[in-house]
Amino acid sequence: AARLLDEIRSCLGRDRTWKTALIGAGRIGQALLGFMSLRESNYRVVAAFDVRADVIGGSIYGVPIRDIKDLRAVAEAESIEVFILSVPKESAQEAADKIAAVPSAVGVLNFAPTRLHLPAKISLKNIDITREIDILCACILHQTPLRN
């Protein structure tokens, strides 16, 4: 049984640490960092990036906030693989383009309410909170219990 659990952990990537970065240190970004800081996981957020001068140079939950202009250099130096995108839709593709230029980038979790264009080598998961609430409410209206 222990061997099977180890195999499952390995298949899910839970047997290693994933270096992660947050792009967008606004309210949603701060909430995500707070959530991640409270949970024990194999994701280590090593940097956050933003465009706002009033937050650059600070930190949130111990994660330093860097200028988005430094994304590639920091990501290369830290070997960041996974990026969490929580920026307004107007700047999401520009941020995605910066991620695409990072050689170590393999995944993006996108909270921006827009579809992104990324190279095939980068996995993309879109999270649309409004859509998720729509699904929940449709299940409630149609008395279809949702368990997940």
Side-chain angles (χ1 to χ4, degrees):
R3 185 172 162 213
L4 177 60
L5 286 174
D6 287 343
E7 286 295 318
I8 292 170
R9 284 176 35 106
S10 179
C11 286
L12 296 175
R14 304 273 312 169
D15 61 339
R16 58 169 293 201
T17 299
W18 294 88
K19 286 191 174 181
T20 307
L22 173 80
I23 301 176
R27 289 179 292 204
I28 291 174
Q30 290 178 29
L32 291 168
L33 284 176
F35 175 77
M36 292 181 80
S37 73
L38 296 174
R39 294 188 64 160
E40 187 175 318
S41 77
N42 57 322
Y43 307 103
R44 196 173 102 217
V45 182
V46 296
F49 297 90
D50 207 286
V51 297
R52 296 171 299 139
D54 61 317
V55 297
I56 294 169
S59 69
I60 301 170
Y61 297 99
V63 176
I65 305 171
R66 309 288 298 267
D67 192 315
I68 190 70
K69 294 175 188 169
D70 299 329
L71 176 80
R72 182 171 180 165
V74 173
E76 284 184 20
E78 293 282 351
S79 300
I80 297 171
E81 298 173 289
V82 176
F83 294 82
I84 302 168
L85 194 55
S86 64
V87 299
K89 69 179 178 180
E90 298 80 22
S91 50
Q93 187 58 55
E94 182 180 349
D97 293 342
K98 290 180 187 310
I99 294 167
V102 175
S104 57
V106 294
V108 173
L109 182 63
N110 176 34
F111 283 88
T114 189
R115 296 289 178 222
L116 301 175
H117 302 284
L118 286 164
K121 75 171 189 103
I122 299 177
S123 294
L124 172 64
K125 174 67 176 158
N126 292 299
I127 305 293
D128 183 334
I129 295 171
T130 302
R131 183 173 174 272
E132 297 300 323
I133 295 171
D134 287 345
I135 292 168
L136 174 64
C137 291
C139 289
I140 292 167
L141 283 173
H142 297 284
Q143 299 179 351
T144 306
L146 182 63
R147 297 283 182 253
N148 123 9

